[in-house]
Amino acid sequence: MLRRSCLKLMLAAGAALAAPAGMARAEMPATVDQPVTITFYNYNLASASAGADATRELLKEFMAANPNITVEGIPVPPNEILSRVQADIVAGRQPDVAQLVFRDLIYIAQDLGGNALEDMVPAAELTDHLSGMIPQGLDLGRIDGKTYGLAYTFSTPILYYNADLFRQAGLDPDKPPRTWDEVKAAGEAISQKTGKHGFFPGAYGPVDGTFVYQAIEMSNGGNVRDGNRLTFAEGDALEATKMLRAMVDSGAHARIDVGAHMDTMASGNLGMFLYTSAVQNSLLKSAAGNFELRVAAMPAFGEKPTRPTNSGSALFVFSKDPVKQRAAYELLKFLTSKHAYTVITSKIGYLPLRLDIVDDPQYLAEWVKTHPMIRPNLEQLTRLTANVAFPGPNYRQVEKVMMDGIREAVFGEGDAEAALKQAQADAQSLMPE
């Protein structure tokens, strides 16, 4: 992580070259009538999966429709992309657009120089484009009423389950678990009667686990922080973590490497797996001819409504040049259009943030008919809850300390509550006052 003071100095210098926020709207042209090249830092392009092909397809279509705009796609792995953006800003290579995750939102807006769309785009034009997008999705990229990140690739936690293992364990695959108590009972049955692993959530990884963990504890009424005070070791959040520990102790929750969960599910050795809907296509390919893969909604704490959080990314604009700002915004509009979301959903596996295309024969209707497994996740969008980002320059260290504490509380030999409270105290010392 770059030092806050270094970035402050760099951003201050950059601001001297840029139009003031209040003038950006007037200076950005209505169209791009001269050749311009913009950079697009994108982690889907760095993927070996269909995500790269679909993204290249979309960029090719965009440039064909906008001959004056050349988009230089820069593939960067997801665990490296923020550092790459930081380094290039400091080196004077200002990115124009970047695909970054929501956990970085506060830092991008307050320290990294991301543009608020409301300061860049005429109000009527912005309102027109955002019309029809899921309001809860749009809110994820906003701070103090301004949109810094425009929701792009997106998913929520879904319960994958192996119907064959359900049958072998004497469970009805047509009645998947609806509550955590039912997950515990099913996990114990699968473990005891098949010798396979019962359940595992993708909630413990250092990068991708936070959103699944937050979805679990927030569904119990907890939260990771209240303002600048951390609360993940308190109240309902603590009880949610203790629930996971009890499942581990009973044998319902597997003790496997947190980096091996996908492989374990794909190989048919795991009964239930709570993780992002973005891996559905990959798991379906692995399951084909080997076992029957099904999906269900995220489990609930009794009658409490679930609060699924989001993984995925938003599009951030860093351009300071007015012509590049217009080109960047045209790219954002295209990548969050009805057509683009049709491609993103059908070829990459993310959820469409324009629900009016789901049953529209021009867009996703036929695909959804042949891929009904997306339905439970679409229903969860009605209860979408923001994945909470941490403030301050040490936000990623705070997140790491929290996740280390959660793994210790769930898998360690000591007292779960003591482990979590120690992690909260350690993390609190890194938070802004």
Side-chain angles (χ1 to χ4, degrees), residues 160-319:
Y160 300 95
Y161 66 100
N162 184 324
D164 292 350
L165 289 183
F166 266 58
R167 296 185 187 97
Q168 294 171 30
L171 303 169
D172 185 352
D174 293 329
K175 297 179 180 179
R178 296 177 300 104
T179 67
W180 286 108
D181 286 343
E182 292 175 0
V183 170
K184 182 174 183 290
E188 290 171 356
I190 291 169
S191 177
Q192 293 166 9
K193 296 180 180 180
T194 73
K196 305 291 187 180
H197 300 294
F199 167 75
F200 198 88
Y204 311 115
V207 175
D208 58 352
T210 306
F211 91 98
V212 177
Y213 163 73
Q214 287 199 27
I216 294 172
E217 56 91 21
M218 284 197 287
S219 293
N220 196 40
N223 212 324
V224 295
R225 67 177 175 90
D226 180 6
N228 288 347
R229 188 178 72 83
L230 298 177
T231 58
F232 61 83
E234 302 172 11
D236 293 330
L238 171 62
E239 292 305 313
T241 304
K242 290 169 73 173
M243 178 276 294
L244 294 171
R245 171 62 176 270
M247 289 177 62
V248 170
D249 291 343
S250 77
H253 183 311
R255 286 183 176 272
I256 59 177
D257 188 293
V258 297
H261 49 46
M262 270 288 291
D263 291 340
T264 307
M265 187 69 198
S267 65
N269 291 311
L270 178 60
M272 296 168 287
F273 180 40
L274 184 71
Y275 200 43
T276 170
S277 56
V279 301
Q280 182 172 297
N281 289 345
S282 175
L283 287 176
L284 280 170
K285 290 178 182 178
S286 298
N290 297 312
F291 64 92
E292 183 184 357
L293 180 71
R294 296 190 187 184
V295 297
M298 180 181 171
F301 287 87
E303 297 302 316
K304 295 180 181 180
T306 58
R307 299 178 66 192
T309 60
N310 61 287
S311 69
S313 65
L315 298 174
F316 294 85
V317 177
F318 294 92
S319 303

Side-chain angles (χ1 to χ4, degrees), residues 364-386:
L364 280 174
E366 291 304 312
W367 184 86
V368 169
K369 284 181 181 178
T370 59
H371 296 79
M373 290 174 66
I374 196 174
R375 288 289 184 183
N377 218 307
L378 291 173
E379 190 275 331
Q380 288 188 159
L381 288 177
T382 62
R383 297 183 304 281
L384 180 65
T385 305

